[in-house]
């Protein structure tokens, strides 16, 4: 991570204070004074502040059941931030691995580990996201098979040059489906159904990778070690 972020994660300094320390030559990385806050440091590097070695706090991995009418942001916007539901220190260090729209509910993963969240959101890692989708128009029985094939082959979204990655469509009822995707384009699920002439009226994320939602609305918990490590095997 960046040196200024590492300092913040190892001390009680604000980012502004950390940068001031770095620019003042008060830090060294592997024995050399470093005055560039953007330098990348790793776990095995020796970072000293005033001669004392810094050790970053352990990363945090959190699962939350996002309520409708909240935003996946660290601050309140038109809608309140879902971070208002978290009772943890240093909330500003956290971010969401795969955001949901304000009106979408369900599973969100929250962390301060950038490499871990990147692994989850990178499409080529094939991390599955499962959504329960409510549709405005019933899917005709005679069209079901063709629609499943269309989603599997990829859809052309408005404003996109290529097709979506292959996805899995399970039709539960004519107006309710489960959709599994491995990427996260802007408003992707809604745009996929718009591409086949339908409209999403309810959207709920049930699963990411092997982790399933198991909490009531607005509740949160820390992930287990096995859950955290499961994303390294996608």
């Amino acid at each position: 991570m960046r040196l200024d972020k590492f300092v913040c994660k190892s001390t009680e300094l604000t980012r502004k204070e950390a940068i001031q320390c770095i620019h003042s030559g008060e830090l060294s990385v592997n024995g050399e004074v470093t005055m560039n806050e953007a330098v990348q440091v790793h776990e095995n590097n020796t970072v000293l502040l005033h001669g004392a070695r810094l050790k970053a706090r352990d990363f945090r991995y959190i699962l939350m059941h996002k309520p409708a009418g909240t935003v996946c942001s660290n601050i309140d916007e038109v809608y309140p931030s879902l971070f208002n539901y978290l009772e943890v220190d240093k909330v500003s260090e956290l971010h969401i691995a795969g955001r949901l729209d304000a009106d979408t509910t369900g599973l969100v993963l929250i962390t301060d580990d950038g490499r871990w969240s990147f692994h989850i959101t990178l499409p080529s890692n094939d991390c599955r996201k499962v959504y329960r989708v409510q549709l405005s128009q019933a899917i005709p029985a005679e069209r079901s098979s063709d629609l499943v094939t269309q989603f599997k082959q990829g859809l052309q979204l408005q404003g996109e040059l290529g097709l979506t990655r292959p996805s899995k469509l399970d039709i539960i009822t004519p107006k309710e489906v489960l959709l599994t995707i491995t990427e996260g384009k802007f408003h992707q699920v809604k745009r996929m159904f718009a591409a086949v002439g339908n409209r999403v009226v309810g959207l709920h994320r049930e699963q990411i990778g092997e982790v399933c939602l198991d909490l009531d609305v607005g509740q949160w918990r820390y992930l287990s070690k096995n859950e955290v490590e499961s994303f390294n095997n996608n």
Side-chain angles (χ1 to χ4, degrees), residues 146-190:
D146 288 342
L147 203 60
V148 169
T149 300
Q150 279 185 269
F151 276 77
K152 183 177 180 179
Q153 293 176 341
L155 297 170
Q156 181 73 56
L157 303 184
Q158 184 175 9
E160 300 278 347
L161 295 177
L163 300 179
T164 58
R165 292 170 63 87
S167 59
K168 183 173 183 287
L169 182 68
D170 295 300
I171 299 175
I172 310 302
T173 71
K175 284 191 173 184
E176 181 180 44
V177 302
L178 289 178
L179 177 64
T180 303
I181 62 176
T182 57
E183 57 188 341
K185 297 178 182 291
F186 181 69
H187 294 322
Q188 179 168 342
V189 175
K190 296 174 181 176

Side-chain angles (χ1 to χ4, degrees), residues 49-102:
L49 173 61
H50 301 148
R53 184 168 184 174
L54 300 184
K55 182 182 184 302
R57 292 181 287 277
D58 291 337
F59 288 120
R60 294 170 289 176
Y61 307 93
I62 296 170
L63 179 155
M64 177 182 283
H65 187 159
K66 177 187 176 296
T70 59
V71 290
C72 292
S73 170
N74 292 65
I75 59 174
D76 295 334
E77 298 177 1
V78 175
Y79 295 98
S81 165
L82 61 79
F83 281 61
N84 292 323
Y85 290 84
L86 279 180
E87 299 172 353
V88 298
D89 294 331
K90 298 187 181 296
V91 171
S92 62
E93 294 182 359
L94 297 168
H95 64 272
I96 294 169
R99 298 184 173 195
L100 295 177
D101 299 336

Side-chain angles (χ1 to χ4, degrees), residues 107 128-131 205-213:
L107 192 161
R128 295 176 297 119
K129 292 88 175 175
V130 181
Y131 294 84
R205 186 159 64 192
E206 297 188 344
Q207 183 175 345
I208 300 178
E210 300 302 320
V211 177
C212 298
L213 185 62

Side-chain angles (χ1 to χ4, degrees), residues 7-133:
V7 173
C8 292
K9 195 165 176 53
S10 308
T11 68
E12 297 303 316
L13 296 176
T14 65
R15 184 169 181 270
K16 180 178 180 180
E17 291 168 339
I19 292 174
Q20 289 175 340
C21 287
I22 296 167
H23 289 178
S24 299
E26 299 172 34
L27 279 104
S28 66
V29 178
N30 296 332
E32 295 186 5
V33 173
T34 303
M35 301 177 70
N36 180 1
E37 69 272 15
V39 165
Q40 294 291 316
V41 294
H42 306 279
E43 295 90 340
N44 60 344
N45 293 152
T46 300
V47 181
L48 303 181
L49 173 61
H50 301 148
R53 184 168 184 174
L54 300 184
K55 182 182 184 302
R57 292 181 287 277
D58 291 337
F59 288 120
R60 294 170 289 176
Y61 307 93
I62 296 170
L63 179 155
M64 177 182 283
H65 187 159
K66 177 187 176 296
T70 59
V71 290
C72 292
S73 170
N74 292 65
I75 59 174
D76 295 334
E77 298 177 1
V78 175
Y79 295 98
S81 165
L82 61 79
F83 281 61
N84 292 323
Y85 290 84
L86 279 180
E87 299 172 353
V88 298
D89 294 331
K90 298 187 181 296
V91 171
S92 62
E93 294 182 359
L94 297 168
H95 64 272
I96 294 169
R99 298 184 173 195
L100 295 177
D101 299 336
D103 59 348
T104 302
T105 62
L107 192 161
V108 293
L109 298 177
I110 303 170
T111 186
D112 48 9
D113 184 346
R115 285 192 298 180
W116 185 78
S117 60
F118 179 75
H119 187 84
I120 293 171
T121 56
L122 187 66
S124 61
N125 284 334
D126 291 322
C127 181
R128 295 176 297 119
K129 292 88 175 175
V130 181
Y131 294 84
R132 186 171 294 272
V133 187

